[in-house]
Amino acid sequence: MTVAQCRLVDLPGSVDDRGRLAFVEPPDTIPFEIGRVYYLFDIPPGKERGAHGHRDLQQLMIAVSGSFSVTLDDGKERKSFHLSRPDQGLYISKMIWRDLSNFSEDAVCLVLASERYSEDDYFRSYEDFYREATS
Ligand code: TYD
């Protein structure tokens, strides 16, 4: 898969005088069933997350609060996104390396993932990821 297949998705929702609501409902908003939800929060200033790739996992990443940057890399091309809107998600396909940085103090990164947690799905070494991604 390539970073060209990763994209920002505008989330459908509702707005009225009580505020706003956004939702994610497969298969319209994302091309996978949700197998797991996790979120990153209380990230100390200057700290970075991610720094890994996934073999099979697909994800939708949402800045439900605050903002942060995500750099995606497929072994050939890199692309950076700045997430700052709760009504927008970043779809990340399989076989993508991701680095998360530039977290604001109030950042909450919500992740909808296609599979349950499995350490076997991770590439923790960029060298291993690069070899597999470019083979
Ligand atoms: P990791 O994926 O390295 O975090 P990040 O993507 O934010 O950099 O996960 C950090 C730790 O949390 C690691 O020990 C694995 C564990 N973990 C789970 O047990 N379940 C999960 O769903 C996730 C995402 C992580």
Side-chain angles (χ1 to χ4, degrees):
M1 306 302 270
T2 67
V3 294
Q5 292 163 299
C6 302
R7 60 188 182 277
L8 287 171
V9 180
D10 288 326
L11 304 179
S14 149
V15 54
D16 58 33
D17 59 6
R18 299 168 302 159
R20 298 182 61 191
L21 173 157
F23 59 86
V24 178
E25 190 169 349
D28 295 339
T29 337
I30 47 172
F32 60 86
E33 290 298 324
I34 298 165
R36 174 170 50 117
V37 173
Y38 67 91
Y39 45 96
L40 309 175
F41 59 103
D42 273 356
I43 298 152
K47 292 290 181 185
E48 300 187 351
R49 306 280 320 205
H52 60 252
H54 283 287
R55 293 175 201 281
D56 286 321
L57 197 70
Q58 300 176 71
Q59 296 177 317
L60 187 79
M61 219 169 250
I62 304 168
V64 288
S65 170
S67 63
F68 53 90
S69 301
V70 186
T71 299
L72 304 179
D73 180 336
D74 59 18
K76 292 192 178 109
E77 195 190 342
R78 308 186 90 201
K79 199 168 170 186
S80 292
F81 298 85
H82 190 66
L83 300 190
S84 62
R85 288 175 48 180
D87 61 351
Q88 203 171 55
L90 176 62
Y91 168 71
I92 306 176
S93 66
K94 301 176 183 190
M95 283 302 293
I96 300 289
W97 184 273
R98 80 287 320 275
D99 291 299
L100 280 67
S101 61
N102 204 15
F103 287 94
S104 65
E105 213 171 298
D106 56 347
V108 179
C109 170
L110 175 68
V111 183
L112 311 182
S114 61
E115 315 289 336
R116 297 184 71 153
Y117 174 74
S118 165
E119 189 58 35
D120 291 345
D121 189 65
Y122 280 73
F123 290 97
R124 295 283 185 187
S125 142
Y126 186 78
E127 204 184 333
D128 292 347
F129 169 78
Y130 182 81
R131 196 179 309 117
E132 182 88 11
T134 57
S135 65

